Amino acid sequence: MREPVEQGGGMSRRAVLAAGATTGIAAGIVAALGSGTAAAAAPSVAGTPGPATDWFAAPARSVRPRFRWWWPDGLVNTDEIAREIDQIADAGFGGAEIAAVHHSVKDKSVLDTEHHGWGSRPWRDGVEAALRRAARRGLTIDLTLGPSWPVAVPGVTPDDEAAAKELVHGRAALSAGATFQGPVPPPVQAPAAGVTRQRLLAVQAARVDTANSTRKETGLDFSSVRDLTATVAADGTLTWTSPDSGEWVLISYWTRGSGQQPESGPHSAPAAYVVDHLAPAGTAAVTGFWERQVLTPTVRSLLKAAGGAFFEDSVELETDGLTWTASLPEAFAQHTGRPLLPYLPALVLSDSNQVFAFEAQLTRQIRHDFWETFSELFNRHHVRALRDWAHSLGMSLRAQPYGLQTDAIESAAILDIPEGESLGFKNLDDFRCLAGGRDMAGHTVLSCEAGAYNGSAYSTTWDRFLRTMGGAYAAGVNQTVVHGFSYATVPGASWPGFAAFSPYNGASGYGESWGPRQPTWQHVGDIAAYLGRVHGVLQSGTARADVAVFRQTGYAATGIGASWFTATGIPLGWSHQFLSGPLLDLPNATVSGGRLAPDGPAYKALFVEGDFFYSSTPTLATADARRLLTLAEAGLPIVLLGAFDQPLTPGVPDDGESDRLRELLARLLALPHVTRITDKAAVGDALTGLGVTPDVRHATASTLLNAHRVTRDTDFYYLCNGKHAETVKPPVAPIDHQVTLRHTRRARGGTTIPYLLDPWTGEVTRIARYTEEEEGDVTVRVALQPGETMIVALGRPNLFGDRNGARPHIVETDASEALFDGRSLTIRSTEAGTRTTRLSSGRTVTTVVPSVPAPLVPSRWQLDVDDWYPGSSPTRTDHVHRTLTLDTLLPWSGIPELADSAGIGRYRTTIDLPSGWTSAHGAHLELGQVSDTARVTVNGTAAPVVDRLHPVVDVGTLLRRGRNVIEVEVAVPLVNRLRVAQPAVFGAVARQDHGLVGPVRLVPYAQATVG
């Protein structure tokens, strides 16, 4: 029979939960943080043994993952809002970001923006309800600055000063000696809806130069450009005769509003239009709307209790021409000392394509100067201004500072919390760009919009999510905003409720709508705790990276990396981040002991190569060259790759500037710890020659990725078997090799102890087998499955309250495992026999391992399935219970009774252990292939949490001789049910293989004490 279960949907709560904010176990020891650590970071492990362990086992709310919480504008119910806050809190997450996103709702009359649009009273009531409940539950609420994206607010019209602007062009061709007479050529693109005014900025003529022409760009002779603006008559007509030689083109330039509305609008009444991101008026329109319409005394008070950050999504300004603002000509002149208008032909765009070009080098220089000016305006009038306003309210600013041709690395340094994304970022170097800005500015958090997969609604697995995030964490990410949690329902929604992005254009949409509507929600606390522990470690102390890669152009979200480091250095253990010129003016940009930013990322060297965004040209701004010279004279090793003995200026040079640049580079290259090479294969040798080595070292190339954090007395190493980009083939394979980790915080004469921090269970154990190298470095074995992670801490004895002090450890053994079991040094083996173990004391121990049963494979399973079906409303789920007996494990899609099922399956089997089974025996339960989430119980007792990327569980303490009952509970995505329940949307999705597939084995071991 079907049992209806209510998941949400606007019904009033029957009772109000008791108040009480969750503050987290670690709150009392924030004072013990290492230098440079923000208050939100995990505590230093230098505190007392108890709390120092608890901060990892029970991560504070402040470091736990958050959700992007999608609302259908203000069509929300305050009781439902409170209920969803409870759901997020009860699942172990740390907060949510309220975002007005409803791409799935095609009938905009459903949303009725006049009565419950974004910013309306119902929307504000919902925000108040969310903040109030979040304060009681210890959660943090972030707020997007406008509905959807880019930033827009109601009341701004396309013609307003505060609205986003574009520069568009018109053109007319003239043959030699021909006369143009008539109206100035109108724009080649029509204005957007709502744009009623446009202004003529200038009219020019230029001779066509076919030598500079390409398939897409018309070449022009820069020396021939003539300004005809003053000859335009009052009625807008122009009369001009071209010279007697060559082909000519008339170019008109018009400014007007872009008319862009936020994505999937309208969201409000009046409609919101995107603001000018380059001018004070645009920012004032945003802050003014909030001050007038949103920030009531109640909201202000609640923000102090539960507010986190204002948020801005990626800056996706869309125009038919060139994004513009009225002050650009003046700003360009101030920045370069030259007028902008003569260079306009090389800058105008049409449908994102360049239209004209001068000689190649000049064109490159012009475009560099323009976008550098553009970037300065964006960072000054938008990023800094919004950040300062947020601070005035006790809030932070979190933003994705990319999408335009701006210095996103500098933006990341300005922001409180820069954010990247797993969907738009092409590889890990995109994250390393933002990490460089964060760390040079002394901030702590780099966030990620995580888990947005195209066409994967209701089929996303946490397995896939974790594989994606594994590499991102190694590249500097340490906060996850999960994409996403949808509000329960809207009129017309289908089961299992409103989903922001599904259906999307009639098909399965982006990302996922997590929450109680998902079978895996019953296990999601395991995921939340895992992510919180990873975040806690990666927000501790300060980040360290081996090398700073200097970027002449600080773009992000491009997929462009660093030639040698990305391809060769990372597989050998090297780590790097990207810096742009403005970061070298920050207070942290000092050198001590040969390290750049010694109290921060402490880069051991600076690497400079040609500008990838301009044909790898060896360019340096004179100001940047002067900064590099100062750093090198202070003792920083620098490696330059390319023809930097003949450098070029990135922009149009002033008189004598090229000579000054070459003189600076000559002085730089003459220093003994500065090396220039011409072959990228020589980078590694150049660094070695300068005495620079990575903190993580292994003998052969590997897919091992790493992130390094340091507190006052501890080095944390996050290790992941991942890859530079998810699209890279072949897939990652398992790794098993030795890795040497540098202990940078070792006290003189002290002992280095390596600890293993298990982010799945929260346990911290001393590693039993390792080799201590010179200077306290430690070599450990790293064996990881694809996507699997490992966290190692290097510190003093008893750091985490273990009782083994500086006791001898194992250096070498032929046993399969070595561990400290309580105060005993123990080996494990899956086979009987004599094992030889060498200890760090120099003693060699032989140990007799008793008989060990062979691996056991269950022969039969009982499978009880809680099968989920659409209920009587979009938020109600009916449940059908099925019981099957399986002689062979198969995915549900391969079992006729379950081919279209989704829900939760409980697999039960029995295993008999022989009479010789003793307390010296144990076993690992290998689950093999299992999807999606799983939990294990043995004889009615819960086993440790299952590592989703290596589903092997130590169940040794739960087993007994004779009969043992093993149960594996598996939750699977909804997609197979939705394929038949909503074939119009999900029917094209292939039936997916979920469930417990195995092979499942119980692999016994015997263990014995060796010292």
Side-chain angles (χ1 to χ4, degrees), residues 620-658:
L620 270 178
T622 305
D624 290 338
R626 191 172 292 112
R627 294 184 188 105
L628 296 188
L629 178 61
T630 300
L631 296 174
E633 289 175 338
L636 179 67
I638 296 179
V639 175
L640 298 101
L641 171 61
F644 282 95
D645 54 337
Q646 294 294 318
L648 299 172
T649 59
V652 178
D654 295 331
D655 290 342
E657 185 177 1
S658 295

Side-chain angles (χ1 to χ4, degrees), residues 168-251:
V168 291
H169 78 286
R171 64 188 295 177
L174 290 173
S175 57
T179 298
F180 177 91
Q181 187 171 16
V184 170
V188 297
Q189 299 101 348
V195 177
T196 64
R197 297 197 300 269
Q198 59 187 16
R199 184 178 73 87
L200 180 66
L201 177 68
V203 181
Q204 294 173 338
R207 184 174 59 81
V208 174
D209 183 357
T210 56
N212 294 324
S213 295
T214 67
R215 183 171 59 87
K216 293 183 178 180
E217 299 176 352
T218 300
L220 301 177
D221 177 4
F222 175 69
S223 64
S224 72
V225 175
R226 304 183 182 192
D227 184 0
L228 307 180
T229 309
T231 66
V232 177
D235 62 357
T237 59
L238 172 69
T239 300
W240 183 75
T241 301
S242 66
D244 291 336
S245 62
E247 299 295 317
W248 290 75
V249 61
L250 277 176
I251 311 170

Side-chain angles (χ1 to χ4, degrees), residues 301-345:
S301 176
L302 289 170
L303 285 178
K304 293 179 181 179
F310 289 107
F311 173 69
E312 180 177 11
D313 214 319
S314 52
V315 190
E316 300 174 24
L317 298 183
E318 297 174 356
T319 74
D320 289 327
L322 177 70
T323 301
W324 191 257
T325 194
S327 66
L328 260 170
E330 179 184 358
F332 185 90
Q334 290 177 348
H335 180 64
T336 67
R338 294 181 298 278
L340 173 62
L341 295 187
Y343 300 122
L344 279 182

Side-chain angles (χ1 to χ4, degrees), residues 644-674:
F644 282 95
D645 54 337
Q646 294 294 318
L648 299 172
T649 59
V652 178
D654 295 331
D655 290 342
E657 185 177 1
S658 295
D659 291 336
R660 291 193 297 274
L661 176 63
R662 291 189 176 96
E663 189 270 333
L664 287 167
L665 264 294
R667 291 170 57 190
L668 179 69
L669 292 170
L671 295 174
H673 46 274
V674 176

Side-chain angles (χ1 to χ4, degrees), residues 561-908:
S563 57
W564 183 85
F565 287 97
T566 297
T568 304
I570 290 172
L572 294 175
W574 288 91
S575 61
H576 68 277
Q577 294 179 344
F578 295 92
L579 310 184
S580 62
L583 270 61
L584 300 183
D585 286 328
L586 293 173
N588 270 353
T590 60
V591 176
S592 178
R595 301 293 184 94
L596 173 60
D599 295 327
Y603 306 115
K604 303 168 190 173
L606 185 69
F607 176 71
V608 186
E609 60 187 326
D611 190 341
F612 276 116
F613 299 99
Y614 292 97
S615 303
S616 296
T617 306
T619 64
L620 270 178
T622 305
D624 290 338
R626 191 172 292 112
R627 294 184 188 105
L628 296 188
L629 178 61
T630 300
L631 296 174
E633 289 175 338
L636 179 67
I638 296 179
V639 175
L640 298 101
L641 171 61
F644 282 95
D645 54 337
Q646 294 294 318
L648 299 172
T649 59
V652 178
D654 295 331
D655 290 342
E657 185 177 1
S658 295
D659 291 336
R660 291 193 297 274
L661 176 63
R662 291 189 176 96
E663 189 270 333
L664 287 167
L665 264 294
R667 291 170 57 190
L668 179 69
L669 292 170
L671 295 174
H673 46 274
V674 176
T675 298
R676 186 180 75 88
I677 55 178
T678 57
D679 183 357
K680 69 179 180 181
V683 173
D685 290 339
L687 290 167
T688 300
L690 293 171
V692 178
T693 57
D695 286 341
V696 176
R697 306 184 297 280
H698 34 87
T700 59
S702 168
T703 49
L704 184 67
L705 304 169
N706 75 82
H708 183 192
R709 306 281 303 194
V710 298
T711 63
R712 184 172 58 246
D713 56 3
T714 307
D715 288 76
F716 289 101
Y717 286 94
Y718 167 89
L719 308 173
C720 173
N721 182 16
K723 54 186 175 180
H724 180 57
E726 286 193 271
T727 56
V728 172
K729 298 181 186 302
V732 173
I735 60 172
D736 187 348
H737 57 76
Q738 299 295 308
V739 176
T740 300
L741 308 173
R742 178 166 293 151
H743 187 190
T744 64
R745 291 314 206 205
R746 178 174 177 257
R748 184 178 298 275
T751 300
T752 300
I753 302 296
Y755 297 88
L756 182 66
L757 284 66
D758 187 337
W760 286 103
T761 65
E763 294 180 350
V764 180
T765 55
R766 180 180 169 186
I767 295 175
R769 180 181 178 181
Y770 62 94
T771 303
E772 191 168 5
E773 310 292 343
E774 295 180 3
E775 303 299 328
D777 295 355
V778 168
T779 298
V780 297
R781 176 189 177 190
V782 175
L784 296 173
Q785 293 297 307
E788 189 183 2
T789 62
M790 176 180 177
I791 300 174
V792 177
L794 304 182
R796 57 177 171 79
N798 302 319
L799 180 64
F800 289 90
D802 68 290
R803 297 173 295 168
N804 291 290
R807 297 182 62 198
H809 59 272
I810 294 174
V811 174
E812 187 176 359
T813 182
D814 55 4
S816 55
E817 287 185 81
L819 66 152
F820 280 104
D821 185 11
R823 293 183 67 92
S824 299
L825 190 55
T826 302
I827 60 167
R828 285 178 176 173
S829 180
T830 57
E831 296 179 351
T834 300
R835 299 290 174 262
T836 302
T837 302
R838 184 164 60 89
L839 304 180
S840 58
S841 62
R843 188 163 62 98
T844 298
V845 180
T846 56
T847 308
V848 177
V849 177
S851 62
V852 183
L856 303 168
V857 178
S859 60
R860 178 167 294 187
W861 295 84
Q862 177 179 305
L863 172 57
D864 295 312
V865 175
D866 175 14
D867 200 352
W868 291 28
Y869 282 82
S872 58
S873 74
T875 58
R876 293 178 71 88
T877 297
D878 287 353
H879 297 254
V880 172
H881 299 282
R882 308 179 191 278
T883 299
L884 300 87
T885 299
L886 304 177
D887 294 324
T888 302
L889 289 174
L890 295 170
W892 289 13
S893 58
I895 302 172
E897 299 92 330
L898 303 178
D900 296 315
S901 295
I904 299 173
R906 295 174 180 87
Y907 295 77
R908 183 188 298 258

